[in-house]
Amino acid sequence: MGTNGAGKTTTLRAISGFLGIDDARVTEGAITFKGARIENRPPHENTRRGIVLVPERDKVFPNLTVAENLAAPVAPAAAAIERRRREALAYQFFPQLADLRHRVGGLLSGGERQMLALASGLVCEPELLLVDELSLGLAPVVVADLLRRLAEIRRQLGIAILVVEQSATVALEVADYAYVMENGRIVLDGTAERLRRHPDIQEFYLGRKSGERRSYREVKQYRRSRRWYG
Amino acid sequence: MQLIVNITVLAAIYALLACGYVLIYRVSRVMNMAHGELAMLGAYLLYTTASLFTDHPVGAIAAALVLSLTVGVLVYVALMRKMTGQMVLAAILTTIAIGILLRGVIVLIWSAAQQHPLQALKFSNPSIELIGGARISTCAALMVLATVAVYTALFVFLRFGRWGMRLRAAGQNPLLAAQRGINLNAIYALAWALSTLTGSIAGMLIALDSGLDQTMVVIGLKAFAPALVGGLDSLLGALVGAVIVASAEVLAIHYVDPLLSDVVPFLVLIAALIVRPWGLFGTREELDRV
């Protein structure tokens, strides 16, 4: 979680890898996955390693059909049985997509598009699925449904899922563990249970007032406290 | 009738050359300005293999095709790969440099004199009489057949092939393609290989029909017009563009002046750019992005 510009997308992009066109690279620090250093590796390598990103926007191929969107990630050399198994994985968790098989990605609604994006991520067989802004432009009902499916995927496939989510209420309901980012740093982390009861989260993210009214000046002062920038 | 035959043959030449421009542009947004030179190199490779395997024309042609495929991959791996992700303009300038380099190298190796791969292969090129008294040379007829075959193969490959699908995916959104595990370098190398192969087939057939020298570069450049007229990212567009440009050129030669031959394609190009800058079948948004 975190406000706009906190660095959530940048963090996910850095983990997933940059292309030359992005004109970006990790200059400091290390990113390790299962014991291997992976910073500044190309995205397709990280995907094969098991780190799969569902990006914030442009998350499906607009001129490819749903079926093609789900087939493109599978290596062309893969055997037919393997291809069918991976495709079945997508339809298992998102059965609605089966009816949309022949529709092109660009003509899907926002909710369908997000489903296709998550499904095409699953087809890559992730061990770590990164989902950027799950709820962007979607109705709360749709978001709640998608989060339930993600929880189901995690339960059945046993993979790790990292979701960037603006809406703290929803995020803290399904998550096991949460991180709060501000200005490019993680300022708070803990189990969802603990964060839900944390006074700062209650006040800044869940919008509940704790105690008496405070002026904005005091709030800023409070934010700058040592605890947040440790 | 003869006019229609002439238009068909010229359209086939243009279409076969234009699909190479389209393939590379479609996957990487780069205009390959060395395409004419690469086609010419393919023709010279055929001339050499024909001189080497004097008694095996089929082997010579096969070897030349494999070599041109290799050339395409090599050009990508050695030069264009470093341009991936750089400014598109830089990549286009690199292709222009490759073109100039190739022209120089070809003169150094094969000299500037006209060569005749047809004789080297010990083939003859009799003209065939068609209905209505029109005539077509065997090589020109082969050219039309090759174009039909290449286009059919490309359509099937792009529509139904698993690599073709990845090619389309990478063209639409390279970043997402990479995030879905598609190795962009392999895709771009494939596009360069196919582009150079089809271009070389065109170059070889032109050389068989009318001899081989540096003027082939001009044909390659003229074929850029139909690719643009049709819309740079559309194969169907390249085909239609080729018919339009070839018709205009043949009719101008027949009814006005043969000297117009090298001018007409570019007149059509300018007219098309003014009326419909993204081409007949091109994607409009492509233009906004540049």
Side-chain angles (χ1 to χ4, degrees):
Chain A
M1 307 191 298
T3 50
N4 287 336
K8 309 183 294 289
T9 298
T10 308
T11 308
L12 292 195
R13 288 289 320 278
I15 297 172
S16 143
F18 297 113
L19 284 187
I21 342 165
D22 293 324
D23 199 15
R25 55 182 285 108
V26 177
T27 52
E28 266 180 61
I31 304 173
T32 50
F33 183 68
K34 299 201 295 184
R37 292 280 293 265
I38 57 157
E39 66 266 19
N40 295 321
R41 301 306 308 158
H44 74 267
E45 261 184 35
N46 287 331
T47 298
R48 285 171 199 180
R49 204 174 255 128
I51 304 176
V52 176
L53 173 67
V54 176
E56 189 177 3
R57 45 180 60 91
D58 299 329
K59 55 188 97 185
V60 302
F61 298 110
N63 296 336
L64 259 55
T65 64
V66 168
E68 287 174 334
N69 262 288
L70 294 174
V74 185
I81 188 164
E82 166 76 0
R83 272 182 276 124
R84 269 199 295 279
R85 188 182 64 74
R86 299 250 214 128
E87 197 186 22
L89 201 64
Y91 293 133
Q92 179 191 344
F93 294 101
F94 302 96
Q96 294 95 320
L97 291 178
D99 303 330
L100 301 166
R101 289 182 59 95
H102 301 297
R103 188 165 306 173
V104 290
L107 294 180
L108 298 178
S109 73
E112 291 163 349
R113 195 176 308 204
Q114 186 64 282
M115 272 189 233
L116 177 57
L118 293 170
S120 80
L122 276 188
V123 170
C124 302
E125 305 212 291
E127 287 178 55
L128 169 61
L129 184 67
L130 309 166
V131 185
D132 199 0
E133 294 286 7
L134 180 80
S135 60
L136 195 77
L138 298 178
V141 206
V142 179
V143 177
D145 174 54
L146 288 173
L147 280 170
R148 266 198 305 276
R149 286 175 205 240
L150 282 182
E152 185 63 23
I153 289 168
R154 201 207 57 152
R155 203 175 57 77
Q156 287 195 23
L157 302 181
I159 62 175
I161 303 178
L162 178 59
V163 183
V164 161
E165 178 52 60
Q166 293 273 2
S167 157
T169 329
V170 194
L172 290 178
E173 244 166 61
V174 292
D176 302 310
Y177 203 90
Y179 301 85
V180 179
M181 288 190 76
E182 297 257 325
N183 291 321
R185 294 160 163 263
I186 292 172
V187 290
L188 209 70
D189 71 304
T191 59
E193 181 59 31
R194 193 175 80 84
L195 288 196
R196 260 205 302 274
R197 282 186 276 113
H198 197 283
D200 295 345
I201 299 293
Q202 291 253 331
E203 180 166 351
F204 298 129
Y205 286 92
L206 301 175
R208 286 178 210 134
K209 281 273 153 54
S210 56
E212 76 277 19
R213 287 175 71 89
R214 279 195 287 230
S215 77
Y216 180 61
R217 189 183 304 256
E218 278 174 307
V219 171
K220 280 184 85 170
Q221 207 66 37
Y222 181 68
R223 284 194 155 198
R224 287 213 191 95
S225 74
R226 197 169 49 82
R227 188 154 52 93
W228 281 78
Y229 285 92
Chain B
M1 191 62 201
Q2 187 63 46
L3 269 185
I4 294 174
V5 171
N6 290 353
I7 289 174
T8 312
V9 171
L10 191 61
I13 294 176
Y14 283 157
L16 200 49
L17 283 166
C19 71
Y21 286 111
V22 172
L23 275 170
I24 290 180
Y25 182 81
R26 186 155 164 176
V27 294
S28 62
R29 305 283 169 261
V30 172
M31 287 168 233
N32 173 19
M33 300 314 287
H35 194 56
E37 283 83 352
L38 284 167
M40 179 165 74
L41 180 63
Y44 275 105
L45 287 174
L46 175 66
Y47 175 69
T48 300
T49 55
S51 323
L52 287 177
F53 313 113
T54 33
D55 296 322
H56 304 281
V58 179
I61 293 169
L65 290 177
V66 171
L67 280 175
S68 4
L69 200 76
T70 317
V71 166
V73 176
L74 279 180
V75 167
Y76 174 73
V77 171
L79 299 160
M80 298 311 295
R81 193 164 53 124
K82 295 189 178 57
M83 290 288 125
T84 312
Q86 298 301 315
M87 277 193 337
V88 169
L89 185 64
I92 296 173
L93 289 175
T94 309
T95 65
I96 295 179
I98 294 172
I100 296 171
L101 191 75
L102 279 178
R103 251 177 282 168
V105 168
I106 285 172
V107 172
L108 275 180
I109 299 178
W110 287 282
S111 90
Q114 199 180 42
Q115 314 285 0
H116 297 279
L118 192 75
Q119 273 99 331
L121 278 171
K122 301 198 181 103
F123 281 179
S124 61
N125 188 15
S127 73
I128 306 164
E129 177 132 8
L130 299 170
I131 32 156
R135 303 192 75 81
I136 184 170
S137 70
T138 312
C139 288
L142 274 177
M143 171 67 88
V144 177
L145 290 178
T147 305
V148 172
V150 163
Y151 267 77
T152 313
L154 280 179
F155 273 121
V156 172
F157 169 75
L158 285 174
R159 177 66 49 203
F160 304 109
R162 289 197 281 279
W163 278 103
M165 183 172 64
R166 298 191 136 206
L167 221 77
R168 282 187 287 147
Q172 283 170 40
N173 186 343
L175 177 60
L176 183 62
Q179 286 164 347
R180 288 292 165 269
I182 297 172
N183 184 352
L184 291 179
N185 283 329
I187 293 291
Y188 292 161
L190 177 66
W192 274 88
L194 286 177
S195 166
T196 311
L197 178 68
T198 55
S200 298
I201 294 175
M204 290 171 194
L205 286 166
I206 297 171
L208 286 178
D209 200 26
S210 47
L212 175 56
D213 57 21
Q214 297 263 331
T215 49
M216 193 177 291
V217 174
V218 182
I219 305 176
L221 206 58
K222 280 159 77 180
F224 190 54
L228 262 173
V229 168
L232 263 175
D233 58 346
S234 162
L235 271 183
L236 182 65
L239 205 56
V240 175
V243 173
I244 293 174
V245 173
S247 310
E249 186 174 336
V250 170
L251 293 177
I253 292 173
H254 187 76
Y255 290 110
V256 191
D257 188 340
L259 286 174
L260 284 174
S261 160
D262 286 349
V263 184
V264 170
F266 299 103
L267 284 179
V268 177
L269 173 61
I270 290 170
L273 282 177
I274 291 169
V275 182
R276 210 178 149 87
W278 57 93
L280 289 173
F281 293 86
T283 324
R284 193 168 189 169
E285 63 197 314
E286 290 303 326
L287 206 73
D288 300 333
R289 228 194 296 172
V290 174

